[in-house]
Amino acid sequence: MEFNQEQQMLADMATKYLQEQYTFEQRQMSVRDHQGFNAEQWQQFAEMGWLAAPLPEAAGGFDAGAMGLVALCEPMGAHLVTEPFLESAVICSRILAESGNALAMDKLTALGAGELTAALAIGELFRLRSWSNTYTWGRPHGDRFTLYGDKTVVLNGTQADVLLVTAKTWGATHALFLVDANLPGIKRKTYTTWDGRNAANIRFDNVDLGPEALLAQGKEAERILQMAFQFGVIAAGAESVGMMQALLDATVDYTKQRVQYGSRLADFQVLRHKMVDMLVQLEQSRSLLLAAASAFDAADHGTGRLVAALKVKTAAAGRFVAQNAVQLHGGIATTDDLNVGHYLKRLTALEGWPMSRDAFIGEFIRETARVG
Amino acid sequence: MSYDAFREQVRTFLNENLTPELRRAGELTTTVFSDFEASQAWHRILYQQGWVAPDWPVEQGGTGWDVNERYIFQEECKLANAPSLFALGLQMLGPMLMGYGTDEQKARYLPRILSGEDVWCQGYSEPGAGSDLASLRTAAVRDGDDYVINGQKTWTSMAHHANKMFLLVRTSKEGKPQAGISFLLLDDMQAPGLKVDPIISLDGRVEQCACFFEDVRIPVANRVGEENQGWAVAKFLLEFERGGHNYTIDLKKQIKKVREIGAMHHGIDGRPSLENVTLASRLAELEVDALAVEYTDLRLKRAFAEGGNAGALSSLAKLTGTELTQRFHEIALDMLGPAALPYQPDALEPGFDGSLVSEDYALTTMAEYLNGRASTIYGGSAQVQRNIIAKLVLQLDS
């Protein structure tokens, strides 16, 4: 339940790089000018091996596993990285790798090299994002498919070259399609999100797909998505823990410096106790993060339960830590100039990713019934 | 032996030795203490087996089990509803004497703690000194080879059953409050000048006492450590009191109990409470937090083994363990509603053979809830633990 030497090196390397090359000012500039996607940074991430790190060796990756992912994502959270590591390199790459599809393997190489990015199109209008609740269709015609439907809030949707789309095929079987984002019949309405990134609503208007576009369907598609989401929740959990630590450190520093009524804020007991509660939330999240990542890497049968627990805990803990970091900083943290508010935004975005905390409470109950 | 085989061995032993009466005493336990007679009976059985002090070194009567085996043993005992052992001698004074006691003190006291012959209580808190223990005032004045003790101790757990007491006394008023404290061993709870008054708790029963000292004599040879150096000894024990307790196992038992209640007791919709979405989600959130405490405790134990700050770590474990346990008490209460209301103190005694006015699974809920309020007060209140963490972990004073 702790880093080995290799993972520690990965974490140290990431921290060092981001400290030097990914300052808050640079980040803000990239959010303003490039919708959070700095192509040069992304190329650096690829060259350092980060984009291929989460993938199995068979898919051209370095097999860093979930624990390796934690080592990378914690510093990314601490430095508020806006490039689509979670959305593309973690979730989409994992889906492609699990599918074993020949076309998917080609795309993986390009994704790992930073030549492409991908996005998962799963959300739709008027409904919470879910796997089974979809009104997008992939109608079979011989061995080809016609994709029809609308997807909303596709994260990294502006940038993505490749889309992974959930849909129903003719017998109402659920399926996952691999779709080139520039095919005829695809229209994107692009925008930015509150956490400094890009997204799109995407219309698929009778898009013609070849047989190779079908990544998986039925139970196999379900398995792949579940596996990818577990991996993603661990990555997002690590990002959240990185942010919570950064917020707690900033709050402790600030309260030691700021003087009110003739005393340092840090000397007021009510504030000290609040910071201890922030620490408890952070450390409990970290414990579940390490437990879930270890279980994932060991293919433990209790992994699903721990991952659900991680999600339930970090969503609440992130909200608590971020809100109190703002509160203890006071007015300055309600401005765009200080990073504290930007952590609040990103943590808030992650609370509902990939699905709501409540959905994972249900998942935790089901998994508890399954594994005891 | 593999851990699975070890667990089997423990289970076999428990099946053979844990009588229905003892199990019942375990079931009816609503504080850290079980029924005194049952606890002592179980102590003697474990002593016969050589398993009464797994945490002690083998040469002093320990078992030689590794940390996992000790955990398995504790967990199996708790989940099988074994009575809790009275911990003040085994968990606190024993290890402390091994570190700070003279050879003579070790030879005299350790075997009798192990056998259960001596039952120790702890004279720490006073009416004016609870969480702020260093302000204690009970005075010890040298008179020849004795100290003469005057003052009052309170919240002395099980003083009405104990035959010996270890206590903190003030031997000097010079310097910081911590500097003038000494640690003494009182050999006889029947000593002239000592009066023990029971304190009735919210559940109507007695676990705590007030102890009045009027010219009680304790030989100087019964001092542990140097005169005025008792605070170091006391702090060691306090950290034990906070960190030595295994909250993970407590929480597992709470989960089991609440699930039992939720499966048996039906809500207003006519379905078992556990099938009610609201209650099921609330319970799930508590179980998530229990997992978080469990894995945090594992990390703390590793940090402790690697030389981390025991004070800070034991405070974190105590704070989270007790506050979460209280939330389990609350959800049990919420599931039961009025069914938790019947007050039948006799029925909480293991020997009770009358008829119950409530469901058996509802019998202990209110007592646990009420008694549980003390857990965030004793051993340094939750607020004191937060002060310690603020200072030692967050370093807010620097």
Side-chain angles (χ1 to χ4, degrees):
Chain A
M1 232 180 68
E2 56 193 357
F3 287 164
N4 62 28
Q5 214 177 349
E6 220 170 287
Q7 290 152 353
Q8 191 59 54
M9 275 170 58
L10 194 59
D12 294 345
M13 182 185 82
T15 300
K16 187 170 186 300
Y17 173 81
L18 293 169
Q19 263 170 4
E20 292 168 0
Q21 308 293 330
Y22 206 100
T23 64
F24 179 61
E25 290 70 28
Q26 286 168 316
R27 186 248 189 208
Q28 291 302 77
M29 213 186 301
S30 145
V31 167
R32 212 167 34 240
D33 301 341
H34 306 289
Q35 299 193 327
F37 187 87
N38 180 332
E40 283 167 32
Q41 286 289 1
W42 195 247
Q43 207 46 53
Q44 285 297 318
F45 292 179
E47 276 167 29
M48 289 184 290
W50 296 359
L51 303 184
L55 297 175
E57 277 173 31
F62 303 130
D63 222 350
M67 211 50 134
L69 201 56
V70 171
L72 276 177
C73 289
E74 261 193 62
M76 287 194 193
H79 291 87
L80 283 169
V81 169
T82 49
E83 281 71 18
F85 187 76
L86 173 64
E87 295 79 0
S88 177
V90 176
I91 283 286
C92 290
S93 295
R94 190 81 201 186
I95 292 173
L96 293 172
E98 290 289 327
S99 77
N101 174 300
L103 182 59
M105 292 301 153
D106 287 350
K107 298 288 183 198
L108 271 180
T109 314
L111 284 165
E115 293 157 13
L116 301 178
T117 70
L120 175 63
I122 189 171
E124 298 180 12
L125 275 181
F126 305 119
R127 53 191 68 90
L128 274 174
R129 181 181 307 185
S130 100
W131 157 238
S132 51
N133 193 8
T134 178
Y135 284 80
T136 301
W137 297 88
R139 294 191 178 119
H141 293 286
D143 65 350
R144 303 186 72 81
F145 299 89
T146 303
L147 190 64
Y148 185 87
D150 285 282
K151 295 289 185 183
T152 57
V153 201
V154 177
L155 301 172
N156 190 40
T158 307
Q159 188 66 37
D161 309 282
V162 175
L163 302 171
L164 309 187
V165 186
T166 59
K168 282 180 198 170
T169 55
W170 205 234
T173 305
H174 299 294
L176 264 169
F177 290 99
L178 169 58
V179 180
D180 191 321
N182 299 312
L183 285 180
I186 297 181
K187 288 196 195 72
R188 292 194 244 194
K189 183 165 179 51
T190 63
Y191 46 87
T192 56
T193 52
W194 285 91
D195 53 341
R197 294 158 185 243
N198 70 77
N201 294 351
I202 305 181
R203 165 155 293 181
F204 300 92
D205 194 1
N206 291 319
V207 180
D208 178 45
L209 300 176
E212 72 287 351
L214 180 66
L215 286 177
Q217 56 183 334
K219 289 268 174 234
E220 175 62 1
E222 210 170 304
R223 180 194 71 79
I224 290 173
L225 266 188
Q226 193 191 20
M227 165 76 113
F229 278 143
Q230 283 186 355
F231 208 48
V233 168
I234 292 169
E239 196 186 331
S240 300
V241 164
M243 286 192 276
M244 285 189 254
Q245 182 74 63
L247 282 171
L248 179 62
D249 292 346
T251 308
V252 165
D253 282 349
Y254 183 77
T255 57
K256 282 182 181 177
Q257 284 156 24
R258 182 71 202 269
V259 172
Q260 293 266 275
Y261 304 105
S263 301
R264 302 181 318 157
L265 289 181
D267 294 330
F268 290 101
Q269 197 178 41
V270 70
L271 303 188
R272 292 165 81 95
H273 285 192
K274 195 59 90 177
M275 286 185 268
V276 169
D277 290 339
M278 291 164 75
L279 171 79
V280 167
Q281 291 298 312
L282 160 65
E283 289 305 333
Q284 292 194 334
S285 300
R286 194 195 300 280
S287 299
L288 288 177
L289 171 65
L290 296 172
S294 301
F296 187 96
D297 287 340
D300 188 286
H301 79 298
T303 304
R305 181 166 184 258
L306 281 170
V307 167
L310 168 66
K311 177 69 213 177
V312 171
K313 184 75 209 175
T314 43
R319 186 175 282 190
F320 182 85
V321 171
Q323 289 178 349
N324 280 295
V326 172
Q327 184 68 26
L328 269 61
H329 274 84
I332 185 71
T334 65
T335 68
D336 191 59
D337 293 338
L338 192 70
N339 58 9
V340 170
H342 297 278
Y343 287 110
L344 169 66
K345 290 184 192 179
R346 179 59 180 163
L347 278 164
T348 307
L350 283 183
E351 277 170 23
W353 188 95
M355 272 162 266
S356 73
R357 178 167 186 267
D358 302 285
F360 277 93
I361 291 175
E363 179 72 8
F364 181 80
I365 292 172
R366 283 189 293 278
E367 284 293 307
T368 300
R370 191 177 67 81
V371 300
Chain B
M1 194 190 318
S2 75
Y3 291 130
D4 285 343
F6 177 78
R7 193 181 285 276
E8 266 323 298
Q9 188 192 359
V10 172
R11 283 187 182 166
T12 306
F13 169 79
L14 291 172
N15 280 333
E16 286 167 2
N17 291 279
L18 202 52
T19 63
E21 293 75 26
L22 291 176
R23 279 181 206 268
R24 184 64 179 163
E27 268 171 33
L28 294 175
T29 301
T30 63
T31 67
V32 292
F33 305 112
S34 291
D35 174 77
F36 182 72
E37 300 305 329
S39 175
Q40 287 299 103
W42 183 233
H43 185 122
R44 287 188 290 270
I45 292 170
L46 289 175
Y47 176 65
Q48 290 299 323
Q49 176 76 8
W51 286 2
V52 79
D55 296 331
W56 287 24
V58 177
E59 57 276 17
Q60 304 282 11
T63 53
W65 294 337
D66 69 19
V67 68
N68 294 325
E69 288 168 327
R70 279 181 274 166
Y71 179 86
I72 290 169
F73 177 69
Q74 258 187 316
E75 182 178 60
E76 288 298 322
C77 286
K78 188 99 184 179
L79 295 178
N81 281 321
S84 63
L85 293 182
F86 197 54
L88 289 169
L90 287 171
Q91 295 294 333
M92 298 176 69
L93 184 63
M96 194 280 287
L97 283 177
M98 289 173 211
Y100 293 86
T102 62
D103 288 343
E104 202 271 328
Q105 287 168 338
K106 287 181 213 174
R108 186 156 156 218
Y109 295 115
L110 291 178
R112 294 167 62 96
I113 291 175
L114 206 60
S115 68
E117 234 171 313
D118 281 345
V119 177
W120 287 88
C121 61
Q122 169 183 269
Y124 271 26
S125 291
E126 297 181 4
S131 287
D132 175 21
L133 189 58
S135 63
L136 63 90
R137 289 187 306 180
T138 295
V141 177
R142 276 289 275 271
D143 179 32
D145 291 336
D146 288 340
Y147 286 109
V148 179
I149 319 292
N150 280 285
Q152 185 194 339
K153 293 292 174 183
T154 192
W155 309 125
T156 319
S157 302
M158 296 289 164
H160 57 316
H161 290 301
N163 65 333
K164 288 184 164 54
M165 177 194 284
F166 56 90
L167 67 160
L168 292 176
V169 292
R170 182 152 302 284
T171 37
S172 165
K173 289 177 184 162
E174 306 290 316
K176 280 174 65 179
Q178 286 85 348
I181 292 172
S182 299
F183 190 102
L184 302 181
L185 304 171
L186 171 64
D187 277 330
D188 184 8
M189 287 296 285
Q190 307 297 326
L194 175 61
K195 186 160 127 341
V196 175
D197 277 358
I199 298 172
I200 299 172
S201 297
L202 284 178
D203 66 351
R205 295 190 296 167
V206 175
E207 275 181 359
Q208 311 296 326
C209 299
C211 300
F212 299 87
F213 292 79
E214 200 182 327
D215 294 334
V216 176
R217 301 187 83 85
I218 297 179
V220 172
N222 280 19
R223 192 186 65 221
V224 183
E226 295 302 308
E227 189 172 272
N228 298 331
Q229 303 293 313
W231 188 248
V233 181
K235 240 175 78 172
F236 174 85
L237 281 186
L238 278 177
E239 282 163 13
F240 239 87
E241 183 174 2
R242 288 165 194 161
H245 192 80
N246 194 320
Y247 292 100
T248 297
I249 295 174
D250 278 11
L251 289 167
K252 282 186 177 167
K253 186 164 178 182
Q254 286 298 331
I255 290 171
K256 194 172 159 217
K257 272 193 171 184
V258 172
R259 282 193 192 159
E260 270 166 22
I261 292 172
M264 307 273 281
H265 205 71
H266 288 60
I268 49 169
D269 55 0
R271 307 289 312 154
S273 308
L274 270 190
E275 294 176 21
N276 175 298
V277 177
T278 315
L279 283 169
S281 326
R282 276 180 59 197
L283 180 58
E285 292 190 64
L286 294 186
E287 291 187 24
V288 164
D289 279 348
L291 274 177
V293 166
E294 177 177 348
Y295 286 104
T296 305
D297 277 356
L298 284 175
R299 288 175 52 217
L300 292 178
K301 285 194 176 74
R302 192 176 307 120
F304 184 61
E306 287 165 6
N309 186 309
L313 300 179
S314 59
S315 288
L316 195 66
K318 200 237 165 191
L319 178 67
T320 54
T322 51
E323 291 192 339
L324 184 55
T325 304
Q326 291 178 337
R327 286 165 63 208
F328 275 100
H329 296 158
E330 289 164 24
I331 196 171
L333 207 57
D334 293 341
M335 284 179 175
L336 290 170
L341 208 49
Y343 176 56
Q344 197 179 10
D346 293 352
L348 289 170
E349 306 295 335
F352 178 76
D353 57 1
S355 63
L356 292 176
V357 297
S358 61
E359 296 86 350
D360 191 56
Y361 58 76
L363 190 55
T364 57
T365 302
M366 187 66 87
E368 277 191 87
Y369 168 67
L370 294 172
N371 291 332
R373 302 317 300 168
S375 67
T376 44
I377 300 169
Y378 62 62
S381 70
Q383 288 68 35
V384 168
Q385 307 307 335
R386 283 187 172 84
N387 285 346
I388 293 171
I389 297 166
K391 188 173 159 181
L392 296 182
V393 184
L394 296 178
Q395 309 201 313
L396 285 170
D397 286 347
S398 63

